Amino acid sequence: MIRWRRGEVVRIRREWPGAVELDVTTEDGEARALAYPALVGRPEPGDVVLLNTTALAMGLGTGGYAMVVAVPDRLPQDPQGPGHLVKARYTPLQATVLGADEQDSPFHEVLRDADSVDGMPVIVADLHSALPAILCGLYGQKPPGPGETAETGGRERGRPLRVAYVMLDGGALPAWFSMSCARLREAGWLCGVVTAGQSFGGDVEVVTPHTGLLAARHVLEADVAIVTQGPGNLGSGTRWGFSGVSAGEAVNAAAVLGGRPVAALRVSEGDLRERHIGVSHHSLTAYGRVALAPAQVAVPVLPGDFGRRVAEQSRPLAARHELVEVPVDGLHEALRGSPVRLSTMGRGLDEDLAYFLASAAAGRHAASLLS
Protein backbone atom coordinates (compact mmCIF):
# COMPACT_ATOMS: atom_id res chain seq x y z
CA MET A 1 0.00 0.00 0.00
CA ILE A 2 2.88 2.37 0.77
CA ARG A 3 6.26 2.40 -0.94
CA TRP A 4 8.77 3.59 1.65
CA ARG A 5 12.17 5.08 0.88
CA ARG A 6 14.86 6.89 2.82
CA GLY A 7 16.32 9.91 1.05
CA GLU A 8 18.65 12.85 1.46
CA VAL A 9 17.72 16.41 0.58
CA VAL A 10 19.94 17.75 -2.20
CA ARG A 11 18.40 21.16 -2.75
CA ILE A 12 15.28 23.24 -2.28
CA ARG A 13 13.64 23.80 -5.66
CA ARG A 14 10.96 26.34 -4.70
CA GLU A 15 8.40 27.02 -2.01
CA TRP A 16 5.03 28.65 -1.53
CA PRO A 17 2.88 29.18 1.57
CA GLY A 18 2.54 25.83 3.32
CA ALA A 19 4.76 23.71 1.03
CA VAL A 20 8.42 23.20 0.10
CA GLU A 21 9.48 21.41 -3.09
CA LEU A 22 12.77 19.52 -2.89
CA ASP A 23 15.22 17.43 -4.86
CA VAL A 24 16.14 14.28 -2.95
CA THR A 25 18.35 11.29 -3.64
CA THR A 26 17.13 7.76 -2.89
CA GLU A 27 18.26 4.24 -3.70
CA ASP A 28 16.17 4.58 -6.88
CA GLY A 29 17.94 7.78 -7.96
CA GLU A 30 17.08 11.48 -7.70
CA ALA A 31 13.44 12.45 -7.26
CA ARG A 32 11.22 15.46 -6.72
CA ALA A 33 9.72 15.60 -3.23
CA LEU A 34 7.21 17.75 -1.37
CA ALA A 35 7.11 18.62 2.32
CA TYR A 36 4.50 20.41 4.41
CA PRO A 37 6.50 22.22 7.14
CA ALA A 38 3.48 22.53 9.42
CA LEU A 39 3.33 18.72 9.57
CA VAL A 40 6.94 17.54 9.34
CA GLY A 41 9.13 20.62 9.86
CA ARG A 42 11.19 22.32 7.17
CA PRO A 43 13.73 20.00 5.52
CA GLU A 44 17.10 21.52 4.64
CA PRO A 45 19.85 20.34 2.26
CA GLY A 46 21.71 17.45 3.87
CA ASP A 47 18.74 16.27 5.95
CA VAL A 48 17.79 12.61 5.86
CA VAL A 49 14.07 12.29 5.17
CA LEU A 50 11.58 9.43 5.27
CA LEU A 51 9.57 9.34 2.05
CA ASN A 52 6.34 7.86 0.72
CA THR A 53 7.13 7.31 -2.98
CA THR A 54 3.94 5.46 -3.95
CA ALA A 55 2.44 8.19 -6.18
CA LEU A 56 5.82 8.81 -7.80
CA ALA A 57 6.22 5.12 -8.66
CA MET A 58 2.69 5.04 -10.11
CA GLY A 59 3.48 7.97 -12.39
CA LEU A 60 0.57 10.05 -11.14
CA GLY A 61 0.27 13.55 -12.58
CA THR A 62 -1.05 15.89 -9.92
CA GLY A 63 0.28 13.81 -7.04
CA GLY A 64 3.53 12.69 -8.65
CA TYR A 65 5.80 13.63 -5.77
CA ALA A 66 7.73 11.70 -3.19
CA MET A 67 5.99 12.91 -0.03
CA VAL A 68 8.13 13.72 3.01
CA VAL A 69 6.70 11.81 5.97
CA ALA A 70 9.32 12.83 8.55
CA VAL A 71 12.71 14.41 9.11
CA PRO A 72 13.68 11.80 11.74
CA ASP A 73 16.89 13.41 12.92
CA ARG A 74 15.30 16.86 13.42
CA LEU A 75 11.70 16.59 14.61
CA PRO A 76 9.56 19.75 14.77
CA GLN A 77 8.50 21.24 18.08
CA ASP A 78 5.21 20.21 19.63
CA PRO A 79 2.24 22.28 18.42
CA GLN A 80 1.08 25.14 20.60
CA GLY A 81 -2.30 26.76 21.08
CA PRO A 82 -5.93 25.62 21.00
CA GLY A 83 -7.58 23.22 18.58
CA HIS A 84 -9.35 19.91 19.04
CA LEU A 85 -10.53 19.22 15.50
CA VAL A 86 -8.61 16.23 14.12
CA LYS A 87 -8.27 15.90 10.34
CA ALA A 88 -6.82 13.09 8.22
CA ARG A 89 -8.17 11.15 11.18
CA TYR A 90 -6.57 7.88 12.30
CA THR A 91 -3.81 8.10 9.73
CA PRO A 92 -0.14 8.34 10.78
CA LEU A 93 -0.16 12.07 9.93
CA GLN A 94 -3.45 13.05 11.55
CA ALA A 95 -3.32 16.73 12.43
CA THR A 96 -5.10 18.76 15.09
CA VAL A 97 -6.43 22.15 13.99
CA LEU A 98 -8.64 24.84 15.45
CA GLY A 99 -12.03 24.49 13.78
CA ALA A 100 -14.09 27.63 13.32
CA ASP A 101 -17.13 25.69 14.51
CA GLU A 102 -15.59 24.15 17.67
CA GLN A 103 -16.12 25.52 21.18
CA ASP A 104 -12.64 27.04 21.60
CA SER A 105 -12.95 29.06 18.41
CA PRO A 106 -13.64 32.80 18.54
CA PHE A 107 -16.19 32.15 15.79
CA HIS A 108 -18.12 29.47 17.66
CA GLU A 109 -20.80 31.91 18.80
CA VAL A 110 -21.18 33.21 15.25
CA LEU A 111 -21.59 29.73 13.79
CA ARG A 112 -23.42 27.96 16.61
CA ASP A 113 -26.88 28.97 15.46
CA ALA A 114 -26.04 30.15 11.92
CA ASP A 115 -28.50 28.65 9.48
CA SER A 116 -28.32 30.75 6.30
CA VAL A 117 -25.85 32.23 3.84
CA ASP A 118 -28.33 34.99 3.01
CA GLY A 119 -28.76 34.29 -0.69
CA MET A 120 -25.02 34.23 -1.39
CA PRO A 121 -24.19 32.86 -4.86
CA VAL A 122 -22.35 29.55 -4.50
CA ILE A 123 -20.52 28.38 -7.63
CA VAL A 124 -19.96 24.63 -7.70
CA ALA A 125 -17.52 22.82 -10.00
CA ASP A 126 -16.12 19.33 -10.39
CA LEU A 127 -12.37 19.94 -10.67
CA HIS A 128 -10.00 22.18 -8.73
CA SER A 129 -8.64 23.49 -12.05
CA ALA A 130 -11.93 25.32 -12.56
CA LEU A 131 -11.23 27.67 -9.64
CA PRO A 132 -9.06 30.31 -11.37
CA ALA A 133 -11.19 30.18 -14.54
CA ILE A 134 -14.35 30.80 -12.52
CA LEU A 135 -12.65 33.79 -10.90
CA CYS A 136 -11.68 35.14 -14.33
CA GLY A 137 -15.33 35.06 -15.37
CA LEU A 138 -16.47 36.52 -12.07
CA TYR A 139 -14.11 39.48 -12.24
CA GLY A 140 -14.29 39.90 -16.02
CA GLN A 141 -12.11 42.59 -17.51
CA LYS A 142 -11.38 44.33 -14.19
CA PRO A 143 -9.55 41.83 -12.00
CA PRO A 144 -7.86 43.02 -8.80
CA GLY A 145 -4.14 43.66 -8.81
CA PRO A 146 -1.70 42.64 -6.06
CA GLY A 147 -2.83 44.00 -2.71
CA GLU A 148 -6.20 45.11 -4.11
CA THR A 149 -9.71 43.71 -4.00
CA ALA A 150 -12.12 43.68 -6.88
CA GLU A 151 -15.38 45.53 -7.31
CA THR A 152 -18.30 44.51 -9.44
CA GLY A 153 -21.09 46.54 -10.99
CA GLY A 154 -24.30 47.21 -9.09
CA ARG A 155 -22.73 46.99 -5.62
CA GLU A 156 -22.52 49.75 -3.07
CA ARG A 157 -19.96 52.24 -4.35
CA GLY A 158 -16.44 51.44 -3.17
CA ARG A 159 -17.37 48.18 -1.50
CA PRO A 160 -14.94 45.37 -2.45
CA LEU A 161 -16.07 42.02 -3.78
CA ARG A 162 -15.03 39.22 -1.45
CA VAL A 163 -14.75 35.69 -2.84
CA ALA A 164 -14.06 32.65 -0.63
CA TYR A 165 -13.00 29.20 -1.75
CA VAL A 166 -14.49 26.21 0.07
CA MET A 167 -12.29 23.17 -0.56
CA LEU A 168 -13.86 19.72 -0.31
CA ASP A 169 -11.90 16.60 0.58
CA GLY A 170 -12.35 14.60 -2.64
CA GLY A 171 -8.86 15.41 -3.95
CA ALA A 172 -5.79 16.58 -2.07
CA LEU A 173 -6.38 16.95 1.66
CA PRO A 174 -3.81 19.71 2.40
CA ALA A 175 -4.80 23.05 0.87
CA TRP A 176 -1.05 23.78 0.91
CA PHE A 177 -0.67 21.45 -2.08
CA SER A 178 -2.47 24.01 -4.25
CA MET A 179 -0.02 26.57 -5.55
CA SER A 180 -3.01 28.21 -7.26
CA CYS A 181 -4.69 28.89 -3.91
CA ALA A 182 -1.54 30.52 -2.56
CA ARG A 183 -1.09 32.72 -5.64
CA LEU A 184 -4.77 33.68 -5.82
CA ARG A 185 -4.65 34.75 -2.17
CA GLU A 186 -1.52 36.82 -2.81
CA ALA A 187 -3.11 38.44 -5.87
CA GLY A 188 -6.21 39.45 -3.90
CA TRP A 189 -8.51 37.22 -5.96
CA LEU A 190 -9.58 35.22 -2.88
CA CYS A 191 -10.38 36.60 0.55
CA GLY A 192 -9.71 33.20 2.10
CA VAL A 193 -9.70 29.42 1.82
CA VAL A 194 -12.02 27.26 3.91
CA THR A 195 -11.04 23.59 4.28
CA ALA A 196 -13.99 21.29 4.97
CA GLY A 197 -14.30 17.67 6.00
CA GLN A 198 -10.94 15.86 6.12
CA SER A 199 -9.17 18.59 4.13
CA PHE A 200 -7.03 21.01 6.12
CA GLY A 201 -4.58 23.89 5.87
CA GLY A 202 -7.00 26.66 4.87
CA ASP A 203 -7.43 30.05 6.49
CA VAL A 204 -10.52 28.61 8.19
CA GLU A 205 -11.02 24.98 9.22
CA VAL A 206 -14.51 23.45 9.44
CA VAL A 207 -16.19 20.09 9.98
CA THR A 208 -18.55 19.91 6.98
CA PRO A 209 -19.22 21.65 3.64
CA HIS A 210 -22.28 23.18 5.31
CA THR A 211 -20.25 24.94 8.01
CA GLY A 212 -17.75 25.72 5.27
CA LEU A 213 -20.34 27.79 3.44
CA LEU A 214 -21.53 29.37 6.68
CA ALA A 215 -17.94 30.26 7.58
CA ALA A 216 -17.35 31.72 4.12
CA ARG A 217 -20.33 34.00 4.64
CA HIS A 218 -20.15 34.86 8.34
CA VAL A 219 -16.44 34.53 9.17
CA LEU A 220 -14.78 35.64 5.92
CA GLU A 221 -17.75 37.87 5.01
CA ALA A 222 -17.74 36.59 1.44
CA ASP A 223 -20.13 37.84 -1.22
CA VAL A 224 -19.54 34.72 -3.35
CA ALA A 225 -18.28 31.24 -2.53
CA ILE A 226 -16.67 28.77 -4.94
CA VAL A 227 -16.80 25.08 -4.03
CA THR A 228 -14.64 22.36 -5.62
CA GLN A 229 -12.60 19.40 -4.47
CA GLY A 230 -8.91 19.96 -3.86
CA PRO A 231 -6.25 19.33 -6.52
CA GLY A 232 -6.43 15.87 -8.01
CA ASN A 233 -9.44 13.81 -8.96
CA LEU A 234 -10.27 10.17 -8.37
CA GLY A 235 -12.11 8.47 -11.22
CA SER A 236 -12.74 4.87 -12.17
CA GLY A 237 -14.47 5.11 -15.54
CA THR A 238 -17.76 4.10 -13.91
CA ARG A 239 -20.95 6.12 -13.54
CA TRP A 240 -20.67 6.59 -9.78
CA GLY A 241 -17.01 5.90 -8.96
CA PHE A 242 -15.52 9.39 -9.09
CA SER A 243 -14.78 11.94 -6.39
CA GLY A 244 -16.64 14.70 -8.23
CA VAL A 245 -20.01 13.37 -7.10
CA SER A 246 -19.41 15.78 -4.21
CA ALA A 247 -20.37 18.62 -6.59
CA GLY A 248 -23.98 17.43 -6.42
CA GLU A 249 -23.88 17.34 -2.63
CA ALA A 250 -22.45 20.87 -2.61
CA VAL A 251 -25.47 22.07 -4.59
CA ASN A 252 -27.71 20.53 -1.94
CA ALA A 253 -25.74 22.17 0.88
CA ALA A 254 -25.90 25.60 -0.77
CA ALA A 255 -29.64 25.32 -1.33
CA VAL A 256 -30.53 24.08 2.16
CA LEU A 257 -28.61 27.04 3.62
CA GLY A 258 -30.46 29.60 1.54
CA GLY A 259 -27.74 30.16 -1.03
CA ARG A 260 -28.09 30.48 -4.79
CA PRO A 261 -26.26 27.50 -6.32
CA VAL A 262 -24.64 28.05 -9.71
CA ALA A 263 -23.43 24.85 -11.37
CA ALA A 264 -20.35 25.01 -13.59
CA LEU A 265 -20.35 22.34 -16.28
CA ARG A 266 -17.26 20.26 -16.92
CA VAL A 267 -16.88 20.62 -20.68
CA SER A 268 -14.01 19.47 -22.87
CA GLU A 269 -13.08 19.51 -26.52
CA GLY A 270 -9.53 18.29 -25.90
CA ASP A 271 -10.06 15.21 -23.72
CA LEU A 272 -9.46 11.99 -25.64
CA ARG A 273 -11.97 10.05 -23.53
CA GLU A 274 -15.45 9.94 -25.09
CA ARG A 275 -17.20 10.14 -21.71
CA HIS A 276 -15.68 13.58 -21.14
CA ILE A 277 -16.14 15.06 -24.64
CA GLY A 278 -18.70 17.85 -24.62
CA VAL A 279 -20.41 17.80 -21.24
CA SER A 280 -18.65 15.25 -19.03
CA HIS A 281 -20.63 12.40 -17.54
CA HIS A 282 -19.32 13.70 -14.19
CA SER A 283 -21.47 16.82 -14.52
CA LEU A 284 -24.47 14.90 -15.81
CA THR A 285 -24.35 12.50 -12.87
CA ALA A 286 -23.49 14.99 -10.12
CA TYR A 287 -26.09 17.57 -11.17
CA GLY A 288 -28.62 15.28 -12.81
CA ARG A 289 -28.73 12.52 -10.18
CA VAL A 290 -26.99 13.61 -6.95
CA ALA A 291 -28.15 17.23 -6.71
CA LEU A 292 -31.72 17.05 -5.43
CA ALA A 293 -32.09 20.83 -5.03
CA PRO A 294 -32.43 23.08 -8.08
CA ALA A 295 -29.47 25.10 -9.30
CA GLN A 296 -28.83 27.52 -12.11
CA VAL A 297 -26.66 25.62 -14.58
CA ALA A 298 -24.39 27.90 -16.60
CA VAL A 299 -24.43 26.62 -20.19
CA PRO A 300 -21.71 28.36 -22.23
CA VAL A 301 -22.80 29.54 -25.68
CA LEU A 302 -19.99 27.97 -27.71
CA PRO A 303 -19.77 28.20 -31.51
CA GLY A 304 -20.36 25.57 -34.16
CA ASP A 305 -21.23 21.90 -33.91
CA PHE A 306 -19.42 21.55 -30.60
CA GLY A 307 -21.53 24.30 -29.06
CA ARG A 308 -24.68 22.59 -30.28
CA ARG A 309 -23.44 19.33 -28.77
CA VAL A 310 -22.93 20.98 -25.37
CA ALA A 311 -26.41 22.53 -25.50
CA GLU A 312 -27.98 19.19 -26.43
CA GLN A 313 -26.11 17.25 -23.74
CA SER A 314 -27.12 19.84 -21.11
CA ARG A 315 -30.83 19.65 -21.95
CA PRO A 316 -31.72 16.69 -19.65
CA LEU A 317 -30.56 18.75 -16.65
CA ALA A 318 -33.55 21.06 -17.23
CA ALA A 319 -35.76 18.42 -15.59
CA ARG A 320 -34.34 19.51 -12.23
CA HIS A 321 -32.45 22.74 -12.80
CA GLU A 322 -32.70 26.07 -14.60
CA LEU A 323 -30.45 26.17 -17.63
CA VAL A 324 -28.95 29.62 -18.18
CA GLU A 325 -27.24 30.31 -21.49
CA VAL A 326 -24.16 32.44 -20.87
CA PRO A 327 -22.36 34.24 -23.74
CA VAL A 328 -18.61 33.72 -23.75
CA ASP A 329 -17.67 36.92 -25.61
CA GLY A 330 -14.60 38.46 -23.97
CA LEU A 331 -13.98 35.51 -21.65
CA HIS A 332 -10.97 34.29 -23.63
CA GLU A 333 -9.28 37.63 -22.95
CA ALA A 334 -10.31 37.49 -19.28
CA LEU A 335 -8.81 34.01 -18.95
CA ARG A 336 -5.52 35.23 -20.36
CA GLY A 337 -5.41 37.65 -17.43
CA SER A 338 -5.34 34.86 -14.86
CA PRO A 339 -2.61 35.36 -12.23
CA VAL A 340 -2.00 31.60 -12.18
CA ARG A 341 -1.32 29.10 -14.96
CA LEU A 342 -4.50 27.54 -16.30
CA SER A 343 -4.22 23.79 -16.68
CA THR A 344 -6.60 20.83 -16.48
CA MET A 345 -5.51 17.23 -16.86
CA GLY A 346 -2.25 18.50 -18.33
CA ARG A 347 -3.96 20.67 -20.95
CA GLY A 348 -3.49 24.43 -21.02
CA LEU A 349 -5.82 27.23 -22.07
CA ASP A 350 -5.29 26.86 -25.82
CA GLU A 351 -5.36 23.05 -25.68
CA ASP A 352 -8.83 22.88 -24.11
CA LEU A 353 -10.34 26.35 -24.36
CA ALA A 354 -13.90 25.04 -24.02
CA TYR A 355 -13.20 23.71 -20.51
CA PHE A 356 -12.02 27.07 -19.23
CA LEU A 357 -14.74 29.02 -21.03
CA ALA A 358 -17.41 26.84 -19.40
CA SER A 359 -15.94 27.48 -15.96
CA ALA A 360 -15.59 31.20 -16.62
CA ALA A 361 -19.21 31.31 -17.84
CA ALA A 362 -20.34 30.15 -14.38
CA GLY A 363 -18.35 32.98 -12.82
CA ARG A 364 -19.85 35.49 -15.25
CA HIS A 365 -23.37 34.35 -14.40
CA ALA A 366 -22.71 34.55 -10.65
CA ALA A 367 -21.49 38.13 -11.13
CA SER A 368 -24.81 38.97 -12.76
CA LEU A 369 -26.60 37.75 -9.63
CA LEU A 370 -24.77 40.41 -7.62
CA SER A 371 -25.93 43.26 -9.85
Side-chain angles (χ1 to χ4, degrees), residues 27-85:
E27 62 186 69
D28 302 320
E30 192 165 297
R32 188 178 60 156
L34 193 69
Y36 302 120
L39 296 183
V40 302
R42 189 179 191 280
E44 300 289 350
D47 280 339
V48 173
V49 289
L50 185 62
L51 301 167
N52 178 339
T53 63
T54 309
L56 189 65
M58 292 174 65
L60 298 183
T62 302
Y65 283 102
M67 305 301 298
V68 176
V69 180
V71 186
D73 296 330
R74 191 162 51 81
L75 299 177
Q77 294 183 346
D78 291 343
Q80 303 295 321
H84 295 89
L85 181 58

Side-chain angles (χ1 to χ4, degrees), residues 91-352:
T91 68
L93 286 178
Q94 62 181 1
T96 302
V97 299
L98 177 62
D101 35 10
E102 68 171 278
Q103 286 84 350
D104 290 342
S105 166
F107 304 112
H108 178 70
E109 291 300 312
V110 173
L111 294 177
R112 184 178 60 184
D113 298 317
D115 200 40
S116 174
V117 295
D118 309 322
M120 177 179 67
V122 177
I123 309 167
V124 178
D126 178 13
L127 300 177
H128 184 74
S129 56
L131 173 63
I134 290 170
L135 287 167
C136 288
L138 186 61
Y139 292 132
Q141 299 300 312
K142 296 182 179 179
E148 300 176 342
T149 51
E151 297 179 13
T152 188
R155 300 188 56 76
E156 179 183 347
R157 184 176 179 83
R159 181 182 173 185
L161 174 65
R162 295 178 63 81
V163 184
Y165 170 48
V166 179
M167 182 174 130
L168 306 177
D169 55 13
L173 296 186
W176 306 313
F177 186 79
S178 174
M179 190 184 301
S180 291
C181 278
R183 298 290 182 255
L184 291 167
R185 289 280 283 111
E186 291 173 357
W189 284 44
L190 291 175
C191 68
V193 176
V194 182
T195 36
Q198 297 279 3
S199 68
F200 57 91
D203 301 288
V204 181
E205 304 278 4
V206 295
V207 176
T208 68
H210 299 75
T211 47
L213 291 172
L214 290 167
R217 182 63 170 175
H218 300 292
V219 174
L220 295 177
E221 299 181 340
D223 301 298
V224 180
I226 302 173
V227 184
T228 76
Q229 60 185 324
N233 175 65
L234 182 59
S236 63
T238 64
R239 176 173 294 176
W240 295 101
F242 63 98
S243 53
V245 295
S246 59
E249 299 291 1
V251 168
N252 295 335
V256 79
L257 293 173
R260 288 182 285 180
V262 175
L265 291 174
R266 178 176 172 180
V267 169
S268 178
E269 198 171 11
D271 202 307
L272 297 180
R273 297 166 294 179
E274 179 62 27
R275 65 184 183 274
H276 293 306
I277 293 292
V279 179
S280 168
H281 80 101
H282 284 194
S283 290
L284 297 177
T285 299
Y287 301 142
R289 301 289 298 279
V290 179
L292 302 179
Q296 292 185 317
V297 178
V299 181
V301 181
L302 300 171
D305 290 340
F306 183 76
R308 285 186 286 274
R309 175 174 180 162
V310 168
E312 180 66 26
Q313 289 175 312
S314 303
R315 194 162 293 123
L317 296 176
R320 185 168 296 171
H321 306 291
E322 178 187 356
L323 303 187
V324 181
E325 292 188 344
V326 182
V328 297
D329 311 71
L331 288 182
H332 193 176
E333 292 76 12
L335 288 164
R336 291 200 176 280
S338 171
V340 301
R341 184 173 66 91
L342 298 175
S343 177
T344 183
M345 302 293 176
R347 299 184 299 274
L349 177 60
D350 294 328
E351 296 167 295
D352 203 349

Side-chain angles (χ1 to χ4, degrees), residues 10-11 23-26 28-32 56:
V10 177
R11 67 184 66 84
D23 283 330
V24 298
T25 56
T26 73
D28 302 320
E30 192 165 297
R32 188 178 60 156
L56 189 65

